[in-house]
Amino acid sequence: MTDIAGTTKALSAIFMKELKHYTRYPGNLAFLFAIPFLFTFMLSAMGTFVGGSNAAQYFFQRTGTQNFFVYQILGSAIWIMTWVVIEDLGSALRNEQIKGTLEQNFLAPINRFLLLVGVALAHIVISALIFIGVVFATVLVLQPGSLLSLFLAMLTLILGLTPMFGIAFIFSGFVIRFKEPYAFTQIVNMIFAVLAGTYYPVSVLPSWLQIVSRIIPQTYLIEDMRLIILFNKSLVDLYGHFILLGVMALVYPALGYYFFKRFENRAKVTGDLSKF
Amino acid sequence: MPLVEVQALSKTFETKEGRLFNRVAKKVTALDGVSFTISKGEILGLLGPNGAGKTTMIKMLCTLVQPSSGDAYVNGFSIMKAPGKVRENLGVMLTGERTLYWKLTGKENLEYFAALYHMNREESAKRIEYLLDLVGLKDRADTYVENYSTGMRIRLSFAKALLHDAPVLLFDEPTLGLDPQSSRLIREMILDLRKKGHAILLTTHYMEEADLLSDRVAIIDHGKIIAMAAPSALKQSVKSSDIIEIEARNLQPEIVERLKTFTDIYDAVALFNDSAAHSGVIKIHAEKGKEVLPGILDALVRRDIGVTKVTFIEPTLEDVFIELTGRGLRD
């Protein structure tokens, strides 16, 4: 078998193994699908409680749209997707470490990057399914948009999720070295939710926090998705963000893998691969 | 040329002990300058008590743990310089049943790992069918591993190690926790693999297993190989003394120290079968065993230790270990 054929087969096997595990624990998928709606309903109630009869007007003044539900669902869905990306990649390796299967994978003559990419690809599919399930259903019911904008939204999603995997690779390294995946990923996911403008425009943040938010791919992803779906913006309008996301999509995974390798090498010295 | 050549491998782990702000670094030597070779068609048994360094040895050979010093070669490839090539040439079975995906079927597990070893579809389908048949799981191939018994999982794990037909096989405690029937099946398969020319490293703390399977046994203790030879040669080395095995109740560990003060006794160890019930076996290495036996029985009776059986036995590998270390393998 040629190197390329062998690598493709290994990648496909890792991808399929992850998907099988996801579908064989269906409760988790149902949970991920429900969460964006529940958060949006909670925020809707909170907005009405705080803003009273003027809530919708205030919302329009700050966001430029009266479509509160779609605006929040977009933020929620992307937040949950990035949560899946960052937490599931790290916890997938952690679960394998606890089960004893991580060592079995590391025994095989494959590049570690392949292992990460295979798991990541499966989670891109899962994330895309959540996105399709949550956002498209909502958008189609509440605000029928053109098929082109939905296509552009998917393109943005894939471009924006790729650098998020770079961040996830670093956390996968943390997990191998320090264990405790949730301690790291949940804090970071909450910080990202605050900084990326999940439920409000980033412009409401203090100016120094707005600068920090600009290194998080999730910020662009949420903004662009709202601009595409709620304001019918095109690829031409968003090219600046697309270039930035493209650069991040190249740099972040490379950086992530570099840190992952460093943590892995350290784990080989300390024997941490089999410790839990 | 040997298929495995280990050259002065050492491993020191650094651990931290103490409370949060008063942590003290402590170095633990798991392996200390270990060297050996394994030839084609040879089984080397690595025998030693828990914590002796057997698993660390296996994990360094399969590139999961990096040595502190030394090197090893698997089919000519260095574990330091060519870890990928080493992994291609190794089939490894690590301890335990949790080395498989429980939410996949037995066949799916093997298909997954076959893909990681770059086996093509036709080749892996044939091999998987053959291996499932070999380990007696053909009828349960499509059952989730979570529904397997412990013995079935270990047999599947064994089959996984044989997937890509590697020239060198490492088995870490392959029969641990298995029922006698499954253990016998695994042992027969290991002997068959030797006939086919594989070089096999087997770690075990079952002395009978090491004795039965190994062409040579390396006895490892505190990270060092303290003896290495054919099992018969090792046992011959303790033939000069008589070995008395006394089965007893109400056994007290202190009695061993008392027995060691007898002039004709070289070594004595207590091996508990049931520590709660204080029942077990005392093994005594003595010169002129028959002459010293009355004194031993007298000492036991004086301490209310109930003797149920006294036997003069042929030396086992455990006796070799006792002779070399003054301790039993189960200590």
Side-chain angles (χ1 to χ4, degrees):
Chain A
M1 194 180 256
T2 63
D3 277 0
I4 295 172
T7 302
T8 311
K9 191 162 190 285
L11 188 63
S12 148
I14 296 164
F15 172 78
M16 287 309 295
K17 181 256 298 174
E18 281 298 306
L19 275 192
K20 279 177 188 166
H21 274 88
Y22 244 104
T23 53
R24 287 170 191 181
Y25 291 101
N28 194 35
L29 274 179
F31 169 77
L32 292 171
F33 185 79
I35 279 287
F37 290 105
L38 294 175
F39 268 111
T40 301
F41 284 126
M42 188 175 73
L43 278 162
S44 175
M46 198 186 287
T48 308
F49 171 67
V50 175
S53 57
N54 295 322
Q57 192 191 336
Y58 290 152
F59 182 77
F60 176 71
Q61 280 170 6
R62 284 164 174 77
T63 61
T65 178
Q66 289 178 319
N67 203 335
F68 171 85
F69 199 77
V70 172
Y71 186 94
Q72 301 297 10
I73 272 287
L74 284 171
S76 280
I78 290 165
W79 181 34
I80 292 301
M81 276 187 310
T82 51
W83 189 297
V84 168
V85 166
I86 293 179
E87 185 162 296
D88 281 18
L89 193 56
S91 62
L93 293 189
R94 176 69 180 138
N95 289 338
E96 298 236 11
Q97 198 173 26
I98 291 171
K99 283 188 284 190
T101 46
L102 184 68
E103 282 189 325
Q104 302 301 314
N105 283 280
F106 278 32
L107 283 173
I110 54 162
N111 191 310
R112 308 291 191 254
F113 192 56
L114 208 62
L115 193 63
L116 287 176
V117 171
V119 176
L121 281 176
H123 289 264
I124 283 181
V125 170
I126 297 297
S127 301
L129 284 175
I130 297 167
F131 186 81
I132 290 166
V134 175
V135 176
F136 283 21
T138 308
V139 169
L140 287 173
V141 170
L142 293 180
Q143 188 199 339
S146 73
L147 276 177
L148 187 66
S149 70
L150 295 182
F151 171 75
L152 193 55
M154 277 309 282
L155 192 72
T156 313
L157 183 75
I158 290 165
L159 190 63
L161 281 181
T162 309
M164 294 305 297
F165 278 103
I167 296 169
F169 290 168
I170 298 176
F171 285 102
S172 304
F174 272 28
V175 167
I176 284 177
R177 177 74 184 92
F178 302 109
K179 326 295 182 236
E180 300 194 74
Y182 303 109
F184 292 113
T185 57
Q186 291 184 357
I187 287 172
V188 166
N189 276 321
M190 293 306 292
I191 292 171
F192 280 10
V194 172
L195 294 181
T198 307
Y199 294 111
Y200 40 76
V202 175
S203 56
V204 304
L205 296 172
S207 52
W208 66 274
L209 273 183
Q210 288 184 41
I211 295 168
V212 178
S213 76
R214 290 293 157 198
I215 60 168
I216 304 171
Q218 200 173 325
T219 307
Y220 302 99
L221 196 51
I222 292 172
E223 265 181 22
D224 292 354
M225 209 59 87
R226 284 172 179 157
L227 289 169
I228 292 164
I229 290 176
L230 286 168
F231 299 98
N232 293 318
K233 295 289 181 191
S234 69
L235 198 59
V236 178
D237 300 316
L238 301 171
Y239 77 94
H241 279 186
F242 270 59
I243 290 171
L244 261 173
L245 283 176
V247 171
M248 285 179 175
L250 290 174
V251 173
Y252 282 28
L255 267 179
Y257 185 60
Y258 168 77
F259 281 108
F260 177 82
K261 277 303 286 180
R262 289 201 62 156
F263 286 123
E264 189 214 340
N265 289 340
R266 180 70 193 148
K268 281 171 84 175
V269 172
T270 57
D272 274 337
L273 283 177
S274 54
K275 288 183 196 164
F276 44 90
Chain B
M1 192 183 88
L3 284 180
V4 178
E5 192 170 355
V6 174
Q7 297 175 347
L9 268 190
S10 295
K11 180 67 192 175
T12 304
F13 290 106
E14 196 168 285
T15 57
K16 286 188 176 160
E17 290 181 356
R19 293 186 181 182
L20 189 60
F21 298 107
N22 192 23
R23 311 257 288 174
V24 180
K26 191 181 164 192
K27 288 190 172 176
V28 178
T29 301
L31 273 184
D32 188 2
V34 170
S35 301
F36 58 81
T37 59
I38 311 173
S39 303
K40 194 170 186 255
E42 185 187 25
I43 299 177
L44 176 71
L46 208 51
L47 181 69
N50 290 331
K54 304 187 298 287
T55 299
T56 304
M57 181 71 244
I58 290 258
K59 288 193 174 176
M60 284 204 290
L61 267 184
C62 61
T63 76
L64 288 176
V65 170
Q66 200 168 304
S68 304
S69 64
D71 202 349
Y73 296 86
V74 173
N75 207 11
F77 297 104
S78 157
I79 60 168
M80 300 297 282
K81 291 173 192 149
K85 284 284 177 194
V86 167
R87 292 197 289 268
E88 275 177 23
N89 284 277
L90 280 178
V92 185
M93 179 192 179
L94 296 177
T95 317
E97 50 182 314
R98 296 200 68 92
T99 53
L100 302 158
Y101 292 102
W102 285 33
K103 272 288 181 190
L104 299 184
T105 67
K107 191 176 174 187
E108 283 173 340
N109 265 284
L110 295 184
E111 284 169 347
Y112 172 69
F113 287 107
L116 296 194
Y117 282 91
H118 307 313
M119 293 171 73
N120 68 43
R121 197 179 296 273
E122 277 177 28
E123 181 193 6
S124 66
K126 273 186 201 164
R127 185 78 182 152
I128 288 166
E129 199 181 338
Y130 164 75
L131 287 172
L132 284 170
D133 194 27
L134 183 75
V135 297
L137 291 173
K138 202 172 179 180
D139 297 339
R140 303 295 301 275
D142 297 319
T143 303
Y144 284 174
V145 168
E146 66 183 359
N147 295 323
Y148 280 13
S149 67
T150 301
M152 290 160 79
R153 287 186 201 119
I154 290 178
R155 278 185 276 148
L156 185 66
S157 195
F158 186 80
K160 186 174 73 60
L162 307 184
L163 261 176
H164 60 298
D165 204 17
V168 178
L169 299 169
L170 310 181
F171 298 122
D172 190 13
E173 307 275 4
T175 58
L176 190 67
L178 278 185
D179 58 87
Q181 200 181 353
S182 295
S183 295
R184 196 173 62 240
L185 178 73
I186 296 256
R187 285 171 189 154
E188 283 168 4
M189 287 189 286
I190 291 174
L191 288 172
D192 197 40
L193 289 163
R194 175 178 63 181
K195 273 188 211 157
K196 289 178 179 164
H198 293 274
I200 299 169
L201 178 64
L202 169 83
T203 76
T204 179
H205 64 272
Y206 296 135
M207 55 187 172
E208 300 87 355
E209 186 166 279
D211 197 351
L212 179 76
L213 299 180
S214 310
D215 297 298
R216 283 182 303 142
V217 168
I219 296 181
I220 186 166
D221 188 39
H222 295 305
K224 285 186 175 178
I225 289 183
I226 52 175
M228 182 159 52
S232 56
L234 287 171
K235 288 185 285 186
Q236 195 64 38
S237 67
V238 289
K239 275 269 186 184
S240 55
S241 57
D242 288 330
I243 298 167
I244 308 164
E245 194 174 84
I246 299 173
E247 289 180 26
R249 289 191 314 269
N250 194 27
L251 194 55
Q252 302 144 20
E254 302 79 42
I255 188 64
V256 169
E257 296 309 314
R258 168 79 186 105
L259 293 176
K260 280 180 182 173
T261 62
F262 285 34
T263 47
D264 290 335
I265 291 180
Y266 303 141
D267 260 314
V269 293
L271 307 168
F272 285 91
N273 298 328
D274 182 348
S275 44
H278 300 286
S279 68
V281 170
I282 304 172
K283 274 195 155 190
I284 299 160
H285 290 201
E287 192 181 355
K288 296 175 189 164
K290 282 180 185 157
E291 287 178 20
V292 84
L293 186 59
I296 293 169
L297 293 175
D298 184 53
L300 297 180
V301 169
R302 279 172 190 276
R303 281 171 173 73
D304 283 336
I305 294 171
V307 174
T308 53
K309 193 176 173 187
V310 178
T311 325
F312 280 80
I313 59 164
E314 283 296 305
T316 64
L317 289 175
E318 176 147 49
D319 296 305
V320 179
F321 189 81
I322 291 168
E323 186 96 346
L324 293 168
T325 66
R327 291 179 289 115
L329 275 168
R330 285 175 281 170
D331 283 1

